[in-house]
Amino acid sequence: MKSIITLVTFAAAILFSSFTVQAQDSQWPSVTVSSLVADKYIAFGTGSLLSKDPAVQSDVNISFKNGLYIDLWNSRSLKGSWNDGSFGNEVDYQVGWRGAVATNLSLDIGVTYFDEPKAFTFGAGDILYTHAFLTKDFKHLSATMGYENYTAMPNSGFQGGNLLSLGVSKHESFCKDKIGLRASVTGVYDTGTIGTRAGFILRGGAGADWNISKRLTFNVLAVNWYAPVTPHDRRVVEVVWSSGFTLRL
């Protein structure tokens, strides 16, 4: 309960400060809407299989000029009803801040409430997730060090845990920025999160994007993969394929 109160208080403080700043400089925040179809739903951090069925996953992100942002994310399984208790269905509510802290050095911190497996039923089964990612940009690639914490809500029947990570990523543009290619690989130490055992995993991804206009991008094809290295639990090598669109308003 204390965690929920802390989350609500933090969100209210961010909303108040954000709108105050926007009112002072009379500039609207930027809004990004995206939606994709994935062939399955794998937990983005741990690589655990949440649903083997295809899902539509959509996101609305509101970013303010001072670095604060609000994000609403949803996964909707293409099998069954939207609120049937499947882990393919989920609603996430996030607030955070991202921005530069030094030359070529940026920070992204935030807190997210995972509302699952039944949406709008808060409490047992839900997760409070916090993250901090520090990224250093070099000439040919970027390196990111991350910390992620999962706190299970009371009476959830499973424990929380932490992820410590270090990874590299690369993005290249071609054809006068019309085509974008991206790739990443990250090593992760999982302390034993949400029913998993402690150990190392690898995760990464690659994708191709077509910038149809300054506002609209066709995310032609993306692949994300997860490979357990030392944990001996139910996790196996997983590959997720997806395709969708991103619209910047």
Side-chain angles (χ1 to χ4, degrees):
M1 180 61 68
K2 290 183 178 179
S3 297
I4 298 177
I5 294 175
T6 300
L7 174 63
V8 173
T9 302
F10 182 43
I14 284 183
L15 285 171
F16 178 78
S17 62
S18 297
F19 285 117
T20 299
V21 170
Q22 294 304 312
Q24 292 174 349
D25 60 18
S26 300
Q27 295 184 29
W28 290 99
S30 61
V31 180
T32 301
V33 179
S34 63
S35 187
L36 59 84
V37 178
D39 68 329
K40 66 183 73 169
Y41 181 18
I42 302 295
F44 300 117
T46 65
S48 297
L49 177 64
L50 296 181
S51 175
K52 63 181 180 180
D53 300 312
V56 175
Q57 298 177 337
S58 303
D59 181 84
V60 178
N61 182 279
I62 303 174
S63 298
F64 298 90
K65 302 300 181 182
N66 57 3
L68 296 169
Y69 64 84
I70 304 169
D71 194 277
L72 178 65
W73 185 88
N74 168 253
S75 178
R76 169 65 170 96
S77 175
L78 295 180
K79 181 179 180 180
S81 63
W82 75 275
N83 210 21
D84 59 5
S86 164
F87 281 100
N89 299 315
E90 181 179 332
V91 181
D92 295 347
Y93 317 93
Q94 179 178 203
V95 291
W97 179 90
R98 69 169 66 90
V101 294
T103 303
N104 296 325
L105 187 66
S106 61
L107 178 65
D108 184 340
I109 56 175
V111 58
T112 308
Y113 190 90
F114 293 169
D115 184 6
E116 57 180 351
K118 284 196 172 185
F120 314 121
T121 305
F122 302 106
D126 294 343
I127 297 169
L128 186 65
Y129 167 81
T130 54
H131 75 268
F133 295 111
L134 187 64
T135 299
K136 173 69 174 178
D137 294 324
F138 297 95
K139 183 176 181 180
H140 297 293
L141 53 78
S142 298
T144 299
M145 180 171 58
Y147 169 75
E148 301 164 81
N149 172 264
Y150 295 78
T151 299
M153 293 295 97
N155 303 315
S156 292
F158 54 84
Q159 86 288 357
N162 303 290
L163 302 178
L164 305 174
S165 61
L166 181 62
V168 294
S169 61
K170 176 69 173 177
H171 181 273
E172 286 286 350
S173 296
F174 304 92
C175 303
K176 297 182 179 180
D177 295 332
K178 286 293 185 180
I179 303 297
L181 299 178
R182 48 192 162 83
S184 67
V185 61
T186 301
V188 182
Y189 178 71
D190 184 350
T191 64
T193 306
I194 315 176
T196 65
R197 294 184 180 180
F200 290 93
I201 64 174
L202 291 175
R203 67 189 187 200
D209 304 312
W210 172 26
N211 295 314
I212 299 174
S213 68
K214 291 184 178 180
R215 296 183 180 275
L216 181 62
T217 297
F218 175 29
N219 308 118
V220 182
L221 186 64
V223 58
N224 292 298
W225 55 268
Y226 305 83
V229 180
T230 61
H232 301 288
D233 52 31
R234 66 179 181 274
R235 284 177 290 185
V236 297
V237 175
E238 298 281 4
V239 177
V240 183
W241 298 91
S242 63
S243 181
F245 287 89
T246 299
L247 177 63
R248 291 167 289 278
L249 303 177

